[in-house]
PDB file of all heavy atoms in Angstrom:
ATOM      1  N   GLU M 103      -2.166  50.687 -15.465  1.00  0.00           N
ATOM      2  CA  GLU M 103      -2.829  51.048 -16.710  1.00  0.00           C
ATOM      3  C   GLU M 103      -1.934  50.636 -17.915  1.00  0.00           C
ATOM      4  O   GLU M 103      -0.725  50.563 -17.785  1.00  0.00           O
ATOM      5  CB  GLU M 103      -3.054  52.520 -16.786  1.00  0.00           C
ATOM      6  CG  GLU M 103      -4.020  53.081 -15.706  1.00  0.00           C
ATOM      7  CD  GLU M 103      -4.298  54.553 -15.895  1.00  0.00           C
ATOM      8  OE1 GLU M 103      -3.324  55.333 -15.708  1.00  0.00           O
ATOM      9  OE2 GLU M 103      -5.390  54.947 -16.181  1.00  0.00           O
ATOM     10  N   GLY M 104      -2.592  50.422 -19.030  1.00  0.00           N
ATOM     11  CA  GLY M 104      -1.889  50.194 -20.299  1.00  0.00           C
ATOM     12  C   GLY M 104      -1.204  48.853 -20.396  1.00  0.00           C
ATOM     13  O   GLY M 104      -0.225  48.740 -21.121  1.00  0.00           O
ATOM     14  N   VAL M 105      -1.770  47.826 -19.728  1.00  0.00           N
ATOM     15  CA  VAL M 105      -1.152  46.496 -19.851  1.00  0.00           C
ATOM     16  C   VAL M 105      -1.582  45.859 -21.164  1.00  0.00           C
ATOM     17  O   VAL M 105      -2.737  45.706 -21.447  1.00  0.00           O
ATOM     18  CB  VAL M 105      -1.573  45.623 -18.604  1.00  0.00           C
ATOM     19  CG1 VAL M 105      -0.989  44.187 -18.804  1.00  0.00           C
ATOM     20  CG2 VAL M 105      -1.129  46.268 -17.285  1.00  0.00           C
ATOM     21  N   GLU M 106      -0.552  45.463 -21.958  1.00  0.00           N
ATOM     22  CA  GLU M 106      -0.868  44.903 -23.309  1.00  0.00           C
ATOM     23  C   GLU M 106      -0.265  43.560 -23.513  1.00  0.00           C
ATOM     24  O   GLU M 106      -0.546  42.918 -24.546  1.00  0.00           O
ATOM     25  CB  GLU M 106      -0.364  45.901 -24.345  1.00  0.00           C
ATOM     26  CG  GLU M 106      -0.987  47.271 -24.260  1.00  0.00           C
ATOM     27  CD  GLU M 106      -0.485  48.247 -25.354  1.00  0.00           C
ATOM     28  OE1 GLU M 106       0.451  47.842 -26.114  1.00  0.00           O
ATOM     29  OE2 GLU M 106      -0.998  49.348 -25.455  1.00  0.00           O
ATOM     30  N   LYS M 107       0.620  43.095 -22.613  1.00  0.00           N
ATOM     31  CA  LYS M 107       1.345  41.827 -22.852  1.00  0.00           C
ATOM     32  C   LYS M 107       1.233  40.918 -21.575  1.00  0.00           C
ATOM     33  O   LYS M 107       1.183  41.426 -20.460  1.00  0.00           O
ATOM     34  CB  LYS M 107       2.821  42.060 -23.178  1.00  0.00           C
ATOM     35  CG  LYS M 107       2.983  42.933 -24.414  1.00  0.00           C
ATOM     36  CD  LYS M 107       4.519  43.254 -24.595  1.00  0.00           C
ATOM     37  CE  LYS M 107       4.687  44.141 -25.832  1.00  0.00           C
ATOM     38  NZ  LYS M 107       6.124  44.527 -25.966  1.00  0.00           N
ATOM     39  N   ASP M 108       1.199  39.635 -21.847  1.00  0.00           N
ATOM     40  CA  ASP M 108       1.118  38.680 -20.722  1.00  0.00           C
ATOM     41  C   ASP M 108       2.299  38.832 -19.789  1.00  0.00           C
ATOM     42  O   ASP M 108       2.141  38.760 -18.553  1.00  0.00           O
ATOM     43  CB  ASP M 108       1.089  37.241 -21.283  1.00  0.00           C
ATOM     44  CG  ASP M 108      -0.262  36.896 -21.935  1.00  0.00           C
ATOM     45  OD1 ASP M 108      -1.287  37.365 -21.390  1.00  0.00           O
ATOM     46  OD2 ASP M 108      -0.266  36.194 -22.962  1.00  0.00           O
ATOM     47  N   LEU M 109       3.491  39.027 -20.325  1.00  0.00           N
ATOM     48  CA  LEU M 109       4.667  39.141 -19.493  1.00  0.00           C
ATOM     49  C   LEU M 109       4.620  40.367 -18.571  1.00  0.00           C
ATOM     50  O   LEU M 109       5.053  40.350 -17.401  1.00  0.00           O
ATOM     51  CB  LEU M 109       5.956  39.237 -20.381  1.00  0.00           C
ATOM     52  CG  LEU M 109       7.282  39.240 -19.630  1.00  0.00           C
ATOM     53  CD1 LEU M 109       7.379  38.051 -18.698  1.00  0.00           C
ATOM     54  CD2 LEU M 109       8.455  39.231 -20.597  1.00  0.00           C
ATOM     55  N   GLN M 110       3.995  41.464 -19.057  1.00  0.00           N
ATOM     56  CA  GLN M 110       3.802  42.619 -18.217  1.00  0.00           C
ATOM     57  C   GLN M 110       2.883  42.249 -17.060  1.00  0.00           C
ATOM     58  O   GLN M 110       3.200  42.612 -15.873  1.00  0.00           O
ATOM     59  CB  GLN M 110       3.141  43.758 -19.059  1.00  0.00           C
ATOM     60  CG  GLN M 110       4.104  44.333 -20.140  1.00  0.00           C
ATOM     61  CD  GLN M 110       3.396  45.356 -20.991  1.00  0.00           C
ATOM     62  OE1 GLN M 110       2.171  45.376 -21.035  1.00  0.00           O
ATOM     63  NE2 GLN M 110       4.191  46.100 -21.798  1.00  0.00           N
ATOM     64  N   ALA M 111       1.840  41.546 -17.336  1.00  0.00           N
ATOM     65  CA  ALA M 111       0.907  41.144 -16.266  1.00  0.00           C
ATOM     66  C   ALA M 111       1.572  40.225 -15.228  1.00  0.00           C
ATOM     67  O   ALA M 111       1.349  40.353 -14.029  1.00  0.00           O
ATOM     68  CB  ALA M 111      -0.318  40.436 -16.881  1.00  0.00           C
ATOM     69  N   THR M 112       2.473  39.341 -15.756  1.00  0.00           N
ATOM     70  CA  THR M 112       3.156  38.438 -14.851  1.00  0.00           C
ATOM     71  C   THR M 112       4.087  39.193 -13.915  1.00  0.00           C
ATOM     72  O   THR M 112       4.124  38.897 -12.702  1.00  0.00           O
ATOM     73  CB  THR M 112       3.951  37.410 -15.654  1.00  0.00           C
ATOM     74  OG1 THR M 112       3.122  36.665 -16.530  1.00  0.00           O
ATOM     75  CG2 THR M 112       4.757  36.487 -14.781  1.00  0.00           C
ATOM     76  N   ILE M 113       4.818  40.161 -14.456  1.00  0.00           N
ATOM     77  CA  ILE M 113       5.742  40.966 -13.612  1.00  0.00           C
ATOM     78  C   ILE M 113       4.965  41.728 -12.592  1.00  0.00           C
ATOM     79  O   ILE M 113       5.357  41.832 -11.406  1.00  0.00           O
ATOM     80  CB  ILE M 113       6.520  41.928 -14.520  1.00  0.00           C
ATOM     81  CG1 ILE M 113       7.460  41.144 -15.423  1.00  0.00           C
ATOM     82  CG2 ILE M 113       7.307  42.930 -13.673  1.00  0.00           C
ATOM     83  CD1 ILE M 113       8.168  42.011 -16.484  1.00  0.00           C
ATOM     84  N   LEU M 114       3.813  42.283 -12.947  1.00  0.00           N
ATOM     85  CA  LEU M 114       2.976  43.069 -12.015  1.00  0.00           C
ATOM     86  C   LEU M 114       2.395  42.130 -10.955  1.00  0.00           C
ATOM     87  O   LEU M 114       2.351  42.542  -9.743  1.00  0.00           O
ATOM     88  CB  LEU M 114       1.875  43.774 -12.778  1.00  0.00           C
ATOM     89  CG  LEU M 114       2.355  44.894 -13.707  1.00  0.00           C
ATOM     90  CD1 LEU M 114       1.229  45.360 -14.656  1.00  0.00           C
ATOM     91  CD2 LEU M 114       2.783  46.121 -12.874  1.00  0.00           C
ATOM     92  N   LEU M 115       1.984  40.967 -11.319  1.00  0.00           N
ATOM     93  CA  LEU M 115       1.433  40.048 -10.311  1.00  0.00           C
ATOM     94  C   LEU M 115       2.492  39.649  -9.325  1.00  0.00           C
ATOM     95  O   LEU M 115       2.224  39.597  -8.080  1.00  0.00           O
ATOM     96  CB  LEU M 115       0.886  38.794 -11.032  1.00  0.00           C
ATOM     97  CG  LEU M 115       0.383  37.664 -10.139  1.00  0.00           C
ATOM     98  CD1 LEU M 115      -0.802  38.163  -9.260  1.00  0.00           C
ATOM     99  CD2 LEU M 115      -0.104  36.494 -10.972  1.00  0.00           C
ATOM    100  N   GLU M 116       3.726  39.373  -9.794  1.00  0.00           N
ATOM    101  CA  GLU M 116       4.850  39.043  -8.905  1.00  0.00           C
ATOM    102  C   GLU M 116       5.169  40.162  -7.955  1.00  0.00           C
ATOM    103  O   GLU M 116       5.600  39.968  -6.843  1.00  0.00           O
ATOM    104  CB  GLU M 116       6.024  38.649  -9.731  1.00  0.00           C
ATOM    105  CG  GLU M 116       5.906  37.333 -10.504  1.00  0.00           C
ATOM    106  CD  GLU M 116       7.098  37.064 -11.412  1.00  0.00           C
ATOM    107  OE1 GLU M 116       7.948  37.974 -11.512  1.00  0.00           O
ATOM    108  OE2 GLU M 116       7.154  35.984 -11.991  1.00  0.00           O
ATOM    109  N   ALA M 117       4.909  41.355  -8.414  1.00  0.00           N
ATOM    110  CA  ALA M 117       5.164  42.560  -7.567  1.00  0.00           C
ATOM    111  C   ALA M 117       3.996  42.837  -6.617  1.00  0.00           C
ATOM    112  O   ALA M 117       4.041  43.884  -5.901  1.00  0.00           O
ATOM    113  CB  ALA M 117       5.448  43.770  -8.433  1.00  0.00           C
ATOM    114  N   LYS M 118       2.957  41.972  -6.688  1.00  0.00           N
ATOM    115  CA  LYS M 118       1.753  42.116  -5.805  1.00  0.00           C
ATOM    116  C   LYS M 118       0.858  43.312  -6.179  1.00  0.00           C
ATOM    117  O   LYS M 118       0.178  43.890  -5.335  1.00  0.00           O
ATOM    118  CB  LYS M 118       2.125  42.204  -4.333  1.00  0.00           C
ATOM    119  CG  LYS M 118       2.825  40.969  -3.772  1.00  0.00           C
ATOM    120  CD  LYS M 118       3.088  41.077  -2.321  1.00  0.00           C
ATOM    121  CE  LYS M 118       3.507  39.792  -1.684  1.00  0.00           C
ATOM    122  NZ  LYS M 118       4.588  39.094  -2.210  1.00  0.00           N
ATOM    123  N   CYS M 119       0.873  43.667  -7.479  1.00  0.00           N
ATOM    124  CA  CYS M 119      -0.092  44.641  -7.964  1.00  0.00           C
ATOM    125  C   CYS M 119      -1.452  43.948  -8.047  1.00  0.00           C
ATOM    126  O   CYS M 119      -1.599  42.852  -8.602  1.00  0.00           O
ATOM    127  CB  CYS M 119       0.338  45.145  -9.346  1.00  0.00           C
ATOM    128  SG  CYS M 119      -0.796  46.338 -10.091  1.00  0.00           S
ATOM    129  N   GLN M 120      -2.499  44.602  -7.476  1.00  0.00           N
ATOM    130  CA  GLN M 120      -3.790  43.901  -7.351  1.00  0.00           C
ATOM    131  C   GLN M 120      -4.539  43.823  -8.703  1.00  0.00           C
ATOM    132  O   GLN M 120      -5.095  42.774  -9.045  1.00  0.00           O
ATOM    133  CB  GLN M 120      -4.701  44.667  -6.401  1.00  0.00           C
ATOM    134  CG  GLN M 120      -4.365  44.382  -4.913  1.00  0.00           C
ATOM    135  CD  GLN M 120      -3.458  45.504  -4.352  1.00  0.00           C
ATOM    136  OE1 GLN M 120      -2.757  46.114  -5.122  1.00  0.00           O
ATOM    137  NE2 GLN M 120      -3.473  45.695  -3.042  1.00  0.00           N
ATOM    138  N   LYS M 121      -4.582  44.974  -9.470  1.00  0.00           N
ATOM    139  CA  LYS M 121      -5.412  44.946 -10.678  1.00  0.00           C
ATOM    140  C   LYS M 121      -4.663  45.550 -11.872  1.00  0.00           C
ATOM    141  O   LYS M 121      -3.665  46.232 -11.687  1.00  0.00           O
ATOM    142  CB  LYS M 121      -6.732  45.729 -10.447  1.00  0.00           C
ATOM    143  CG  LYS M 121      -7.705  45.055  -9.493  1.00  0.00           C
ATOM    144  CD  LYS M 121      -8.975  45.900  -9.398  1.00  0.00           C
ATOM    145  CE  LYS M 121     -10.011  45.271  -8.481  1.00  0.00           C
ATOM    146  NZ  LYS M 121     -11.245  46.065  -8.399  1.00  0.00           N
ATOM    147  N   ALA M 122      -5.207  45.252 -13.027  1.00  0.00           N
ATOM    148  CA  ALA M 122      -4.640  45.831 -14.232  1.00  0.00           C
ATOM    149  C   ALA M 122      -5.773  46.025 -15.254  1.00  0.00           C
ATOM    150  O   ALA M 122      -6.824  45.387 -15.251  1.00  0.00           O
ATOM    151  CB  ALA M 122      -3.571  44.870 -14.849  1.00  0.00           C
ATOM    152  N   GLN M 123      -5.527  47.030 -16.136  1.00  0.00           N
ATOM    153  CA  GLN M 123      -6.404  47.320 -17.231  1.00  0.00           C
ATOM    154  C   GLN M 123      -5.635  47.619 -18.447  1.00  0.00           C
ATOM    155  O   GLN M 123      -4.479  48.117 -18.365  1.00  0.00           O
ATOM    156  CB  GLN M 123      -7.393  48.394 -16.904  1.00  0.00           C
ATOM    157  CG  GLN M 123      -6.776  49.768 -16.780  1.00  0.00           C
ATOM    158  CD  GLN M 123      -7.776  50.860 -16.365  1.00  0.00           C
ATOM    159  OE1 GLN M 123      -8.012  51.028 -15.144  1.00  0.00           O
ATOM    160  NE2 GLN M 123      -8.355  51.580 -17.331  1.00  0.00           N
ATOM    161  N   GLY M 124      -6.171  47.305 -19.617  1.00  0.00           N
ATOM    162  CA  GLY M 124      -5.428  47.548 -20.874  1.00  0.00           C
ATOM    163  C   GLY M 124      -5.922  46.652 -21.990  1.00  0.00           C
ATOM    164  O   GLY M 124      -6.812  45.823 -21.788  1.00  0.00           O
ATOM    165  N   PHE M 125      -5.306  46.831 -23.138  1.00  0.00           N
ATOM    166  CA  PHE M 125      -5.782  46.058 -24.330  1.00  0.00           C
ATOM    167  C   PHE M 125      -5.545  44.539 -24.224  1.00  0.00           C
ATOM    168  O   PHE M 125      -6.110  43.776 -24.964  1.00  0.00           O
ATOM    169  CB  PHE M 125      -5.090  46.599 -25.580  1.00  0.00           C
ATOM    170  CG  PHE M 125      -5.566  47.957 -26.006  1.00  0.00           C
ATOM    171  CD1 PHE M 125      -4.859  48.679 -26.938  1.00  0.00           C
ATOM    172  CD2 PHE M 125      -6.697  48.539 -25.417  1.00  0.00           C
ATOM    173  CE1 PHE M 125      -5.296  49.940 -27.386  1.00  0.00           C
ATOM    174  CE2 PHE M 125      -7.131  49.809 -25.807  1.00  0.00           C
ATOM    175  CZ  PHE M 125      -6.444  50.490 -26.768  1.00  0.00           C
ATOM    176  N   LEU M 126      -4.708  44.137 -23.257  1.00  0.00           N
ATOM    177  CA  LEU M 126      -4.533  42.703 -23.053  1.00  0.00           C
ATOM    178  C   LEU M 126      -5.830  42.071 -22.680  1.00  0.00           C
ATOM    179  O   LEU M 126      -6.137  40.902 -23.000  1.00  0.00           O
ATOM    180  CB  LEU M 126      -3.479  42.471 -21.924  1.00  0.00           C
ATOM    181  CG  LEU M 126      -3.235  40.986 -21.539  1.00  0.00           C
ATOM    182  CD1 LEU M 126      -2.695  40.189 -22.748  1.00  0.00           C
ATOM    183  CD2 LEU M 126      -2.276  40.935 -20.358  1.00  0.00           C
ATOM    184  N   TYR M 127      -6.701  42.801 -21.951  1.00  0.00           N
ATOM    185  CA  TYR M 127      -7.976  42.263 -21.455  1.00  0.00           C
ATOM    186  C   TYR M 127      -9.135  42.762 -22.283  1.00  0.00           C
ATOM    187  O   TYR M 127      -9.939  42.025 -22.748  1.00  0.00           O
ATOM    188  CB  TYR M 127      -8.172  42.692 -19.967  1.00  0.00           C
ATOM    189  CG  TYR M 127      -6.986  42.306 -19.111  1.00  0.00           C
ATOM    190  CD1 TYR M 127      -6.093  43.226 -18.655  1.00  0.00           C
ATOM    191  CD2 TYR M 127      -6.761  40.958 -18.786  1.00  0.00           C
ATOM    192  CE1 TYR M 127      -4.987  42.894 -17.864  1.00  0.00           C
ATOM    193  CE2 TYR M 127      -5.682  40.572 -18.024  1.00  0.00           C
ATOM    194  CZ  TYR M 127      -4.758  41.539 -17.596  1.00  0.00           C
ATOM    195  OH  TYR M 127      -3.672  41.173 -16.843  1.00  0.00           O
ATOM    196  N   SER M 128      -9.129  44.063 -22.505  1.00  0.00           N
ATOM    197  CA  SER M 128     -10.208  44.650 -23.281  1.00  0.00           C
ATOM    198  C   SER M 128     -10.012  46.140 -23.479  1.00  0.00           C
ATOM    199  O   SER M 128      -9.485  46.809 -22.586  1.00  0.00           O
ATOM    200  CB  SER M 128     -11.583  44.408 -22.581  1.00  0.00           C
ATOM    201  OG  SER M 128     -12.600  45.136 -23.269  1.00  0.00           O
ATOM    202  N   LYS M 129     -10.435  46.661 -24.616  1.00  0.00           N
ATOM    203  CA  LYS M 129     -10.497  48.082 -24.801  1.00  0.00           C
ATOM    204  C   LYS M 129     -11.757  48.555 -24.095  1.00  0.00           C
ATOM    205  O   LYS M 129     -12.607  47.776 -23.620  1.00  0.00           O
ATOM    206  CB  LYS M 129     -10.525  48.456 -26.281  1.00  0.00           C
ATOM    207  CG  LYS M 129     -11.715  47.950 -27.042  1.00  0.00           C
ATOM    208  CD  LYS M 129     -11.667  48.377 -28.464  1.00  0.00           C
ATOM    209  CE  LYS M 129     -12.917  47.920 -29.255  1.00  0.00           C
ATOM    210  NZ  LYS M 129     -12.913  48.329 -30.634  1.00  0.00           N
ATOM    211  N   ALA M 130     -11.989  49.844 -24.037  1.00  0.00           N
ATOM    212  CA  ALA M 130     -13.218  50.407 -23.459  1.00  0.00           C
ATOM    213  C   ALA M 130     -14.353  50.116 -24.457  1.00  0.00           C
ATOM    214  O   ALA M 130     -14.223  50.342 -25.662  1.00  0.00           O
ATOM    215  CB  ALA M 130     -13.083  51.895 -23.241  1.00  0.00           C
ATOM    216  N   VAL M 131     -15.486  49.565 -23.917  1.00  0.00           N
ATOM    217  CA  VAL M 131     -16.596  49.159 -24.768  1.00  0.00           C
ATOM    218  C   VAL M 131     -17.886  49.764 -24.263  1.00  0.00           C
ATOM    219  O   VAL M 131     -17.970  50.157 -23.085  1.00  0.00           O
ATOM    220  CB  VAL M 131     -16.716  47.645 -24.822  1.00  0.00           C
ATOM    221  CG1 VAL M 131     -15.461  47.027 -25.513  1.00  0.00           C
ATOM    222  CG2 VAL M 131     -16.906  47.041 -23.439  1.00  0.00           C
ATOM    223  N   PRO M 132     -18.949  49.803 -25.084  1.00  0.00           N
ATOM    224  CA  PRO M 132     -20.245  50.344 -24.620  1.00  0.00           C
ATOM    225  C   PRO M 132     -20.869  49.519 -23.500  1.00  0.00           C
ATOM    226  O   PRO M 132     -20.475  48.382 -23.294  1.00  0.00           O
ATOM    227  CB  PRO M 132     -21.078  50.285 -25.870  1.00  0.00           C
ATOM    228  CG  PRO M 132     -20.125  50.224 -27.015  1.00  0.00           C
ATOM    229  CD  PRO M 132     -18.958  49.440 -26.467  1.00  0.00           C
ATOM    230  N   ALA M 133     -21.838  50.108 -22.857  1.00  0.00           N
ATOM    231  CA  ALA M 133     -22.476  49.481 -21.642  1.00  0.00           C
ATOM    232  C   ALA M 133     -23.140  48.123 -21.999  1.00  0.00           C
ATOM    233  O   ALA M 133     -23.053  47.150 -21.239  1.00  0.00           O
ATOM    234  CB  ALA M 133     -23.451  50.444 -21.003  1.00  0.00           C
TER     235      ALA M 133
END
């Protein structure tokens, strides 16, 4: 949760984390 930077996503991917959510991709939006 709370991924906001590309480098954070890269570190998580290298650690084999499957998914991420946060402002790097999108805030919560209506249906």
Side-chain angles (χ1 to χ4, degrees):
E103 295 182 296
V105 178
E106 299 180 356
K107 301 175 183 178
D108 287 323
L109 185 54
Q110 293 174 344
T112 301
I113 293 171
L114 291 167
L115 177 61
E116 291 175 353
K118 296 184 168 53
C119 177
Q120 285 96 333
K121 292 183 179 181
Q123 67 183 87
F125 289 169
L126 176 63
Y127 307 106
S128 172
K129 64 179 182 179
V131 296

